[in-house]
C-alpha cells in the first residue's frame, strides 16, 4: 500500500504481545500466524527485548532494543525475517547500541546509535513500508550495507544471483557452479545502479522489495554494479549497499544515505512514489535525523541541451563531488537534462555517451537555486568514434557490449557452460569482427589473439596509430601488440584501475583508458594481397592463474587512417 492510500480495515492485522511477549516472539519465528479478527491501531509497544511497531496496515516489525537489529518482519501473519539464525541489520550486525523510539503523529522513528554511526527505522501509519536511513561519519564503524535476511522457501527463484541449487564453488567462496555447468553468485546482478529503482521477489500474491536510495553517498557512479540480492538454501538477502569495494573506482563517501525502503505489496512492484528521485519525505524534515537535508536545502543542475551527440546512443549526465554523486538522462531529442535534489557544493559534471566520458566541466550548486548551463558542445575529438579509421572492431561506448560473451559476463563466471569459447581470431571485412572477438582477454586464457587485415599500397606506405580501448583491468593486465612478427610495441604503463576482482564477479566497469601504439610503415606488408597480422598479448607481472590471471575488458580496437 503506498503512502497516499488509506489502510483498509479488512486487511489490518494485530498480534498478541505484552504479557505474552515470549510466546508471541516464538510464534513469529515459527512462521505463519493466525489472523486476529480485530484491526490493529498504528503504534508501538515494548516486549522487553524489542520495540514492536504495528503500522496499522498488514505489517508488524520488531527492532532489538540492545543492537538495533530488525528481529521480526511479519506481513499478513507470516514471518519473513531471518535465515541461518541471523537478524536483518547493518553490515553483519552492529552489536551493543543505544536504541530509542519516538512517535510524532503518523510517524514512528527508531534511532540506533553505535559509536559514530547512526541508523534509523521509520514507519508511517497505514503503510506496509519500513523506511531506513544510515548515517556513517567515518571509517571507525564498519558499515557498507544493510541486508534484509529473508526466510527460506518463501520466494522460490533461480535467478543469476541465486545459488539455491548448489554448494560447489568455482572461485573463492562466493561463486558457485550448478550441476549443469551454469554459475551463480550474489555478485551477478546484471544491473547497473542506473538500471533499477528496486529489487526483490514476488509470489504473485506477495511481493517483498528493497527500494534503493538515490545513492548520493554511495560511490561508483551511475554505471556501477554491486550486490542487490541473493538466494540460497538457507534463505535470501536483499541489499542496500552503502559502499561496495569490489571493482570500485571512487573513494568512500560519508554522511547520511536514505531513505531506502523495505516494501511489501500484493505481489506487484512497489509504488513508484517510493523510487529514488521521486520520493520526497517532508514528513521526515523535523525528525532530527543526523545529516538530513530537506528539499529546501538542496539545489538543481539543468542544461538546455547537448550538441555533438551520436543519437544512436543514450547520453547520461553525472555529477561527482567529494561528498555526493548524482546523475540523470539527457533527452534524446536535444540533450536537455535536469538533476534535482543536489546537495550544495562543487561537482565535476561529466557527459557520457553510453558509458564513455566525452565531456567534462565543473559546476557549483547552491541551496534553493538552479545552476543553468548553456548548450554543451561536445568537441568532435572527444569521441574516439569520430576519428577516421581504416578498420574498427566495435564502437566506442565505454563498454564491451557487442563483443563475444559481453552480456553473459554481467551475470555469469567466465567458466560458465553458456560462454562461447574464449578464442577469437578475427578477419577484418568478415562481418563477424565484433561478435567473434572476446570481450575479455587474460594472460593465461586467451592472450595472443590475432586480427587479420589487408592494406592498400598507400596505407601500407605510411605509419598508423593503433588504438585499444579498455574499460577495466585485473592485476594490471594490459595489451602489448606485435605486427607481422616483425614489430613489437613497448609494454605500456598500466592505467589506474581497481585492485579487486572484476572480470569474474560480473563487472567490466573500471576506469576507461585508451592505449595508443604508433606503428611504423616498416611494420606493414607491402604485398596488398596478403593479410597483415596483429597479435594482442596481455602482459603483467601480477595475478594468479586462469581467469584470475592478469586480464582486461575491451571497449574497441581500431587502426586510424
Amino acid at each position: 500500500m503506498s503512502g497516499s492510500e488509506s489502510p483498509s480495515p479488512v486487511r489490518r492485522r494485530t498480534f498478541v504481545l505484552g504479557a505474552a511477549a515470549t510466546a508471541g516472539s516464538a510464534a513469529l519465528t515459527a512462521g505463519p500466524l493466525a489472523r486476529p479478527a480485530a484491526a490493529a491501531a498504528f503504534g508501538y509497544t515494548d516486549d522487553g527485548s524489542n520495540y514492536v511497531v504495528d503500522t496499522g496496515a498488514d505489517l508488524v516489525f520488531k527492532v532489538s532494543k540492545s543492537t538495533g537489529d530488525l528481529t521480526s518482519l511479519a506481513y499478513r501473519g507470516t514471518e519473513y525475517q531471518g535465515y541461518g539464525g541471523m537478524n536483518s541489520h547493518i553490515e553483519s550486525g552492529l552489536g551493543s547500541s543505544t536504541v530509542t523510539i519516538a512517535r510524532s503523529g503518523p510517524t514512528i522513528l527508531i534511532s540506533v546509535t553505535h559509536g559514530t554511526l547512526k541508523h534509523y527505522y521509520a514507519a508511517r501509519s497505514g503503510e506496509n513500508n519500513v523506511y531506513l536511513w544510515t548515517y556513517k561519519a567515518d571509517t571507525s564503524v564498519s558499515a557498507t550495507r544493510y541486508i534484509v535476511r529473508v526466510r527460506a522457501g518463501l520466494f522460490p527463484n533461480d535467478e543469476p544471483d541465486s545459488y539455491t541449487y548448489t554448494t560447489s564453488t568455482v572461485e573463492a567462496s562466493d561463486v558457485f557452479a550448478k550441476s549443469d555447468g551454469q554459475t551463480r553468485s550474489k555478485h551477478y546482478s546484471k544491473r547497473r545502479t542506473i538500471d533499477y529503482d528496486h529489487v526483490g521477489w514476488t509470489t504473485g500474491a506477495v511481493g517483498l522489495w528493497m527500494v534503493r536510495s538515490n545513492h548520493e553517498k554511495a560511490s561508483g557512479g551511475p554505471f556501477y554494479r554491486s550486490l542487490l540480492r541473493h538466494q540460497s538454501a538457507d534463505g535470501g538477502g536483499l541489499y542496500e549497499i552503502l559502499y561496495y569495494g569490489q571493482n570500485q573506482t571512487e573513494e568512500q563517501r560519508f554522511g547520511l544515505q536514505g531513505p531506502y525502503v523495505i516494501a511489501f505489496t500484493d505481489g506487484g512492484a512497489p509504488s513508484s512514489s517510493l523510487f529514488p528521485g521521486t520520493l520526497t519525505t517532508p514528513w521526515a524534515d523535523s525528525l532530527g535525523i543526523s545529516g538530513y537535508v530537506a528539499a529546501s536545502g538542496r539545489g538543481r543542475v539543468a542544461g538546455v541541451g547537448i550538441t555533438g551527440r551520436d543519437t544512436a546512443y543514450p547520453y547520461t549526465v553525472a555529477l561527482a563531488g567529494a561528498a555526493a554523486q548524482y546523475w540523470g538522462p539527457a533527452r534524446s531529442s536535444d540533450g536537455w537534462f535536469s538533476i534535482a535534489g543536489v546537495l550544495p557544493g562543487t561537482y565535476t559534471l561529466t557527459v557520457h555517451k553510453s558509458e564513455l566520458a566525452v565531456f567534462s566541466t565543473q559546476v557549483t550548486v547552491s541551496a534553493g537555486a538552479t545552476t543553468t548551463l548553456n548548450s554543451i558542445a561536445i568537441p568532435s575529438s572527444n569521441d574516439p568514434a569520430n576519428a577516421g579509421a581504416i578498420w574498427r572492431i566495435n564502437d566506442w561506448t565505454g563498454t564491451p557490449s557487442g563483443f563475444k560473451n559481453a552480456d553473459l559476463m554481467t551475470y555469469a563466471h567466465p567458466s560458465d557452460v553458456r560462454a562461447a569459447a574464449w578464442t577469437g581470431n578475427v578477419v577484418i571485412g568478415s562481418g563477424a569482427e565484433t561478435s567473434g572477438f572476446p570481450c575479455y582477454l587474460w594472460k593465461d586464457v586467451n592472450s595472443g589473439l590475432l586480427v587479420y587485415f589487408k592494406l592498400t599500397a598507400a596505407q601500407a606506405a605510411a605509419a598508423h596509430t593503433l588504438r585499444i580501448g579498455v574499460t577495466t583491468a585485473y592485476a594490471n593486465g594490459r595489451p602489448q601488440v606485435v605486427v607481422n612478427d616483425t614489430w613489437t610495441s613497448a609494454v605500456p604503463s598500466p592505467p589506474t584501475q581497481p585492485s579487486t576482482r572484476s572480470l569474474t564477479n560480473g563487472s567490466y566497469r573500471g576506469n576507461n583508458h585508451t592505449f595508443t601504439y604508433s606503428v611504423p610503415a616498416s611494420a606493414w606488408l607491402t604485398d596488398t594481397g596478403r593479410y597483415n597480422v596483429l597479435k594482442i598479448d596481455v602482459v603483467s607481472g601480477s595475478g594468479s592463474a586462469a581467469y584470475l590471471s592478469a586480464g582486461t575488458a575491451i571497449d574497441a580496437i581500431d587502426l586510424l587512417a
Side-chain angles (χ1 to χ4, degrees):
M1 182 177 304
S2 73
S4 61
E5 297 174 324
S6 299
S8 168
V10 176
R11 294 175 50 204
R12 287 181 172 178
R13 304 290 177 251
T14 189
F15 302 98
V16 179
L17 298 167
T22 302
S25 297
L28 286 174
T29 302
L33 303 178
R35 297 186 180 185
F42 174 71
Y44 69 88
T45 57
D46 182 339
D47 71 5
S49 299
N50 306 278
Y51 290 120
V52 184
V53 178
D54 193 318
T55 65
D58 291 325
L59 176 64
V60 176
F61 65 92
K62 295 183 180 183
V63 174
S64 168
K65 293 167 57 180
S66 60
T67 65
D69 286 0
L70 185 68
T71 60
S72 175
L73 196 61
Y75 178 68
R76 295 184 185 174
T78 297
E79 179 61 62
Y80 285 82
Q81 159 24 60
Y83 69 78
M86 294 179 285
N87 297 323
S88 299
H89 43 218
I90 288 289
E91 197 59 18
S92 296
L94 295 174
S96 180
S97 304
T98 300
V99 184
T100 61
I101 190 168
R103 175 172 175 172
S104 176
T107 303
I108 293 171
L109 182 71
I110 297 176
S111 303
V112 182
T113 301
H114 181 86
T116 61
L117 185 136
K118 298 181 186 298
H119 180 70
Y120 304 90
Y121 301 88
R124 296 279 288 168
S125 178
E127 295 188 18
N128 291 314
N129 303 320
V130 183
Y131 298 85
L132 303 97
W133 291 262
T134 303
Y135 176 81
K136 183 176 181 181
D138 50 44
T139 59
S140 63
V141 180
S142 177
T144 59
R145 67 180 181 181
Y146 190 93
I147 179 170
V148 180
R149 301 187 186 274
V150 182
R151 291 176 55 220
L154 296 174
F155 298 102
N157 113 85
D158 187 25
E159 294 297 318
D161 50 9
S162 167
Y163 43 95
T164 302
Y165 306 105
T166 179
T167 58
S168 176
T169 58
V170 296
E171 183 177 298
S173 60
D174 55 11
V175 181
F176 299 82
K178 294 177 60 178
S179 59
D180 62 4
Q182 293 190 16
T183 54
R184 297 288 189 270
S185 175
K186 62 184 179 181
H187 298 291
Y188 298 155
S189 68
K190 292 181 84 170
R191 304 178 191 174
R192 308 166 301 173
T193 304
I194 198 174
D195 295 329
Y196 75 98
D197 296 306
H198 62 281
V199 63
W201 300 290
T202 179
T203 64
V206 174
L208 173 55
W209 314 97
M210 176 68 85
V211 181
R212 72 164 173 85
S213 70
N214 67 355
H215 276 211
E216 68 182 2
K217 295 295 184 178
S219 299
F223 312 123
Y224 189 67
R225 285 180 168 85
S226 65
L227 304 186
L228 299 183
R229 65 181 181 180
H230 77 268
Q231 193 162 8
S232 68
D234 296 327
L238 295 179
Y239 295 89
E240 167 70 346
I241 297 299
L242 310 179
Y243 177 77
Y244 190 48
Q246 290 286 318
N247 211 36
Q248 182 57 252
T249 58
E250 295 182 305
E251 295 296 322
Q252 185 171 182
R253 293 182 171 96
F254 299 103
L256 182 70
Q257 183 152 293
Y260 49 103
V261 187
I262 302 169
F264 281 94
T265 71
D266 290 337
S271 169
S272 60
S273 65
L274 300 178
F275 294 169
T278 60
L279 177 62
T280 57
T281 51
W283 52 265
D285 290 356
S286 60
L287 295 179
I289 295 172
S290 293
Y292 184 93
V293 179
S296 60
R298 297 169 177 269
R300 185 169 73 102
V301 177
V304 299
I306 302 172
T307 62
R309 293 173 297 118
D310 182 342
T311 56
Y313 296 97
Y315 281 70
T316 301
V317 180
L319 304 177
Q325 62 171 7
Y326 307 91
W327 54 82
R331 192 161 60 192
S332 59
S333 60
D334 56 8
W336 175 91
F337 63 91
S338 177
I339 304 173
V342 180
L343 292 172
T346 299
Y347 297 86
T348 298
L349 181 151
T350 303
V351 178
H352 298 269
K353 166 196 169 185
S354 187
E355 296 185 20
L356 184 67
V358 291
F359 180 85
S360 183
T361 189
Q362 299 293 114
V363 297
T364 299
V365 180
S366 301
T370 297
T371 300
T372 303
L373 303 179
N374 293 325
S375 184
I376 293 173
I378 301 173
S380 177
S381 59
N382 283 19
D383 185 346
N386 291 330
I390 297 172
W391 54 260
R392 176 170 291 142
I393 305 176
N394 215 2
D395 200 0
W396 293 85
T397 62
T399 81
S401 179
F403 282 123
K404 185 198 297 186
N405 294 328
D407 290 342
L408 179 66
M409 287 302 96
T410 63
Y411 60 95
H413 190 268
S415 64
D416 194 289
V417 68
R418 292 167 292 179
W422 286 103
T423 54
N425 298 340
V426 297
V427 178
I428 300 300
S430 66
E433 299 93 325
T434 299
S435 61
F437 196 90
C439 61
Y440 296 164
L441 303 181
W442 290 272
K443 186 176 181 180
D444 276 10
V445 176
N446 56 354
S447 182
L449 289 184
L450 305 178
V451 178
Y452 296 88
F453 59 96
K454 292 181 179 181
L455 297 175
T456 67
Q459 291 167 342
H464 296 284
T465 296
L466 174 75
R467 303 187 300 184
I468 300 178
V470 302
T471 67
T472 194
Y474 176 68
N476 286 330
R478 62 246 194 227
Q480 182 183 34
V481 300
V482 179
V483 177
N484 292 323
D485 288 329
T486 61
W487 181 85
T488 302
S489 73
V491 176
S493 298
T496 300
Q497 297 289 4
S499 59
T500 61
R501 288 181 298 165
S502 53
L503 308 183
T504 60
N505 71 359
S507 178
Y508 58 76
R509 175 79 274 125
N511 293 309
N512 287 103
H513 181 81
T514 301
F515 293 94
T516 60
Y517 309 85
S518 298
V519 184
S522 58
W524 312 124
L525 298 178
T526 56
D527 183 347
T528 58
R530 295 174 58 194
Y531 282 103
N532 289 270
V533 182
L534 168 69
K535 184 172 74 165
I536 304 174
D537 293 313
V538 176
V539 295
S540 176
S542 303
S544 54
Y547 296 110
L548 288 178
S549 64
T552 191
I554 306 299
D555 177 9
I557 307 170
D558 58 21
L559 185 68
L560 300 187

